[in-house]
């Protein structure tokens, strides 16, 4: 097995996005598609209502605790390089 492609919540254009990754048009990333909470106690005790309103604090957008991994956390599978050259004092227009 050379690779596994896992596309959580790919949406309506997920197939096109997977094709872009497979053909090298896009650098894939390993980012979380959900928020990973530290403990059930971090969430409101009444979770019987499946509503994601701000008042319940369930969604990553409204959760006020400290998650183990926040939504979108992760790394890219590429290499980055920074060159700390000083900026020019003047720019020719």
């Amino acid at each position: 097995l050379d690779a596994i492609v896992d596309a959580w919540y790919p949406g309506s254009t997920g197939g096109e996005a997977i094709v872009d990754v497979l053909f090298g048009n896009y650098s894939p990333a390993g980012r979380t598609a959900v928020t990973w909470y530290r403990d059930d106690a971090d969430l409101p005790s009444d979770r019987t209502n499946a509503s994601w309103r701000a008042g319940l604090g369930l969604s990553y957008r409204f959760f006020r605790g400290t998650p183990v991994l926040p939504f979108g956390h992760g790394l890219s599978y590429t290499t980055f390089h920074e060159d700390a050259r000083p900026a020019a004092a003047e720019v020719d227009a």
Side-chain angles (χ1 to χ4, degrees):
L1 180 66
D2 292 327
I4 295 175
V5 176
D6 184 11
W8 280 32
Y9 306 117
S12 61
T13 59
E16 294 175 25
I18 291 170
V19 167
D20 282 343
V21 169
L22 294 176
F23 284 91
N25 299 324
Y26 181 79
S27 175
R31 294 188 178 87
T32 59
V34 296
T35 297
W36 293 85
Y37 303 104
R38 191 165 304 283
D39 193 315
D40 285 352
D42 292 340
L43 300 172
S45 59
D46 178 17
R47 295 189 298 273
T48 57
N49 182 347
S51 173
W52 292 94
R53 292 181 315 219
L56 293 177
L58 293 175
S59 153
Y60 73 92
R61 293 174 53 208
F62 308 113
F63 179 67
R64 298 294 178 237
T66 303
V68 175
L69 296 172
F71 172 84
H73 177 80
L75 301 172
S76 173
Y77 295 112
T78 191
T79 302
F80 295 96
H81 174 75
E82 283 189 46
D83 189 358
R85 288 182 274 173
E90 293 182 19
V91 176
D92 295 331

